[in-house]
Amino acid sequence: MSRPQAQPAASLFIDGQFVEGEGAALTVRYPFTGQPIAELREASPAQVATACARARAAQPAWAALAPVERGRILARAAAIILERNEELARLETLDTGKPIQETLVADWPSGAAALEYFAGLAATLTGHMIPLGTDWAYTRREPLGVCAGIGAWNYPSQIACWKAAPALVMGNAMVFKPSEETPLGALKLAEILAEAGLPAGIFNVVQGGGQVGAALVADPHVAKVSLTGSVPTGRRVYAAAAEGMRHVTMELGGKSPLIVFDDANLEHAVSAAILANFYSSGQICSNGTRVFLQTGIRDAFLDRLAERVRRVQMGDPLDPATNHGPIINPTQAARIREAIAGGIAAGARLVCGGAGEGAFIPPTVFADASDDMAIARDEIFGPVLTALTFHDESEVITRANSTGFGLAAGVFTRDLTRAHRVIAALEAGTCWINAYNLTPVEMPFGGVKLSGLGRENSAAAIEHYSQLKSVYVGMGGVDAPY
Ligand code: NDP
């Protein structure tokens, strides 16, 4: 087998140019084989500072364009992405190890949808006029300036697009740091935006690990930080951003409940549990990893789930037939295996799956688990589903909410009023009824509690990349007491 290669023109993209990093070497590996596919270099502290300074210098002219002109550039970038989707999906598969079957439909296409959506919104972003008798006031919705974007490795290109699209359309500039595990997609986005006509300095990419991210968050030019990552990283980044009173969006982890009532459509609920736990080898923040099954449906559900999971096709991610790929890296695979071993040791019943081999961990289902087991409490970020049994509605609501996380939740039932009642009582930012893990750009996405704050996608995202200026307009004279 020939070794795939994905070497970019250079490691960083600053002020409209590819430039080589001056920091430590960064080898990019294909998760399927562990073989290097690109050799990059991290950004030095001076290069992070340069990227932020150039972004700061370029931003006012970008913000001064008519919104429709900014939107047009984003729309052009979306069209380029869709034209090159096959080539981009292949790169995403090499970077992440996710099956080509997924990257063709989920990753760049979702990024393109964000660019298209915010391009269309551009011309509608206005302030308000506030009548005050003869005087009046108005608000201006203004950009924040330079926004830092920091991404996780599970959806690298989608994350870059979801952050860049609302930021840029509002007239901000962005410096983006992808995860060091998956640095390639953001560079492609920079290249495509430039080709679409984005002025130099408006979208920049720096590479590196946590220290590079920390340098970016602390840069004096940065007005806002949008992070997708784990809760511990979120705490650190939020605290660092507070030093400069910077705005934040935090898209963090979860341990979301998927609640299946006795009256649910069994086949659809099982499909949803598969999508909610095993897509992208389970490396999805919003996964419904605590599957609460009502006593009447439990056995039939677990039997059918085990039967369907046996049909999984693990293997070469570039093979169109593969629907379950490798884990991102050996360290993460070891962590997942530890969680699986912990579940077995704690006495949960392993219905199917298990440790797997090498880079692959098969879809794994635990049943007869209890809420206090680590497999039912901690985010595993791998293909591990924990089934829990419940009797009635109020009990399952209490148990579903007994977690620090609050990213997502799902309910399967045919009872219309119960579906809405239960969803209203669940502490989660993104919910589904008789569906799971669908995140169209039209719908706000984000978490509550430890899972984060702020929203991505939809018009709601604009609020997190803009600030209001209030302007009072005096129409008469001014009286003073002396
Ligand atoms: P991490 O929290 O480890 O890292 C996220 C990003 O933050 C990476 O780019 C990382 O750099 C960077 N980083 C680490 N430390 C710092 C720091 N001190 N200052 C600034 N940046 C820093 O997450 P993972 O990449 O491991 O991703 C998995 C996590 O992301 C899971 O918890 C998952 O739930 C969550 N996630 C949340 C999503 C959401 O939308 N809510 C979506 C996807 C994932 P590097 O890794 O390169 O060292």
Side-chain angles (χ1 to χ4, degrees), residues 226-251:
S226 178
L227 170 79
T228 297
S230 61
V231 172
T233 303
R235 282 203 179 95
R236 278 196 289 278
V237 170
Y238 198 179
E243 279 297 306
M245 214 56 84
R246 296 177 177 90
H247 297 241
V248 294
T249 295
M250 294 280 151
E251 292 292 350

Side-chain angles (χ1 to χ4, degrees), residues 151 153-154 177 180 209-210 213 228-230 233 251-253 285 379 381:
W153 42 258
N154 59 339
K177 187 202 87 67
E180 60 191 325
T228 297
S230 61
T233 303
E251 292 292 350
L252 308 178
C285 52
E379 182 182 48
F381 219 60

Side-chain angles (χ1 to χ4, degrees), residues 424-465:
L426 291 174
E427 296 164 358
T430 307
C431 297
W432 294 275
I433 294 173
N434 295 333
Y436 206 88
N437 261 353
L438 301 174
T439 57
V441 66
E442 295 88 342
M443 178 173 119
F445 179 82
V448 300
K449 295 162 70 181
L450 290 179
S451 293
L453 58 144
R455 290 292 175 267
E456 298 202 298
N457 286 343
S458 83
I462 291 295
E463 287 173 29
H464 304 290
Y465 287 99

Side-chain angles (χ1 to χ4, degrees), residues 28 48 55 60 99 108 188 317 322 335-336 363 371 376 409 425 469 471 478:
V28 190
V48 173
W108 282 101
K188 268 289 165 209
T322 297
R335 262 189 223 138
I336 299 168
D371 295 4
K469 179 182 278 172
V471 185
V478 178

Side-chain angles (χ1 to χ4, degrees), residues 316-328:
D316 181 349
L318 288 171
D319 178 345
T322 297
N323 53 29
H324 192 87
I327 300 300
I328 186 78

